[in-house]
Amino acid sequence: PDRNERNRLGGRTPPLKRNEHPFKSQNQVIVEFVLGIKKKKKMSDILLHLLPPIASSLLYAGLGIHFWKTRWHNKGPSTNGLPMQSWERVGILGAVVLQGIGLHDGLFGETGMRFSFSFALSLMLWLAVIIYWLESFRARMDGLQPLVLPLAAICAALPTVFPQAHLISHATAWGFKFHFLTAMLAYG
């Protein structure tokens, strides 16, 4: 408070304003607001935020077990030459879409772009599964499903296990966006 305000109040310190904290500077309050530290999330918001990565991880794992049992570890009639069925393709597409929603929400949250090793691994496997899924329409990729899908299941769940991420400061610059896109496509 400035001197005039103290004089007006008879030398007393003015009462705190509505969003003012007694021990924090204005800059600290602004930083906390920008980073979303002060914002308290409801339990339902947290659970909805975790739903896409966990659901995609479970779907990948289920499909991986299915392909393991039907393509690699089959004790019945041989199904090694069996092409992917349409429901299997739809299942993989569903997992890819769910993981993409989770990645988008995690990477491009309300505070700006955030990134970490867990998001990088999840994004790389997401791109690998997309490329695998698209390529499976042109060529038979027998035997890769039991390898790729369990890895995708693990990496899809990593952002929920390791949620720490760094806020990217220049994420709005077109040069950074181009660099990020080409780097992630190169890894995928």
Side-chain angles (χ1 to χ4, degrees), residues 159-171:
T160 61
V161 177
F162 302 104
Q164 300 84 9
H166 302 286
L167 189 64
I168 307 291
S169 59
H170 301 291

Side-chain angles (χ1 to χ4, degrees), residues 21 29 32 45 47 57 68 72 81 110 116 126 130 146 153 157:
H21 194 280
V29 172
E32 287 178 355
D45 292 341
L47 293 177
S57 181
W68 170 263
W72 269 17
E110 35 194 63
S116 68
W126 179 69
I130 288 174

Side-chain angles (χ1 to χ4, degrees), residues 2-188:
D2 64 354
R3 182 177 294 168
N4 292 335
E5 191 174 1
R6 269 194 239 136
N7 289 338
R8 190 173 49 99
L9 293 171
R12 294 178 309 182
T13 304
L16 293 175
K17 294 180 181 150
R18 183 172 184 185
N19 292 327
E20 200 172 302
H21 194 280
F23 303 111
K24 293 183 183 176
S25 70
Q26 178 115 13
N27 291 339
Q28 286 175 322
V29 172
I30 291 171
V31 167
E32 287 178 355
F33 176 76
V34 169
L35 294 178
I37 295 171
K38 282 187 78 173
K39 182 180 177 185
K40 293 182 180 177
K41 292 186 175 186
K42 295 184 230 171
M43 184 60 97
S44 60
D45 292 341
I46 294 170
L47 293 177
L48 286 176
H49 178 71
L50 296 177
L51 185 62
I54 291 173
S56 66
S57 181
L58 292 174
L59 193 52
Y60 281 137
L63 287 166
I65 291 169
H66 163 73
F67 282 115
W68 170 263
K69 288 183 175 182
T70 60
R71 303 306 198 281
W72 269 17
H73 194 63
N74 188 11
K75 293 182 179 170
S78 177
T79 56
N80 288 342
L82 184 67
M84 275 181 59
Q85 298 175 9
S86 60
W87 73 268
E88 295 168 336
R89 290 181 195 276
V90 169
I92 293 173
L93 178 64
V96 164
V97 168
L98 283 172
Q99 187 181 7
I101 291 169
L103 281 171
H104 183 270
D105 290 346
L107 288 171
F108 306 106
E110 35 194 63
T111 59
M113 184 176 177
R114 300 174 311 138
F115 201 64
S116 68
F117 87 96
S118 60
F119 283 118
L121 287 174
S122 184
L123 189 58
M124 286 188 293
L125 262 293
W126 179 69
L127 289 170
V129 171
I130 288 174
I131 292 168
Y132 161 76
W133 184 77
L134 291 172
E135 189 64 29
S136 71
F137 286 103
R138 296 198 59 211
R140 293 190 55 179
M141 313 276 284
D142 298 335
L144 284 179
Q145 302 99 335
L147 291 173
V148 172
L149 296 177
L151 283 174
I154 292 168
C155 290
L158 280 178
T160 61
V161 177
F162 302 104
Q164 300 84 9
H166 302 286
L167 189 64
I168 307 291
S169 59
H170 301 291
T172 57
W174 68 269
F176 175 79
K177 289 178 182 178
F178 179 72
H179 167 75
F180 184 79
L181 179 66
T182 55
M184 287 300 114
L185 288 175
Y187 279 117

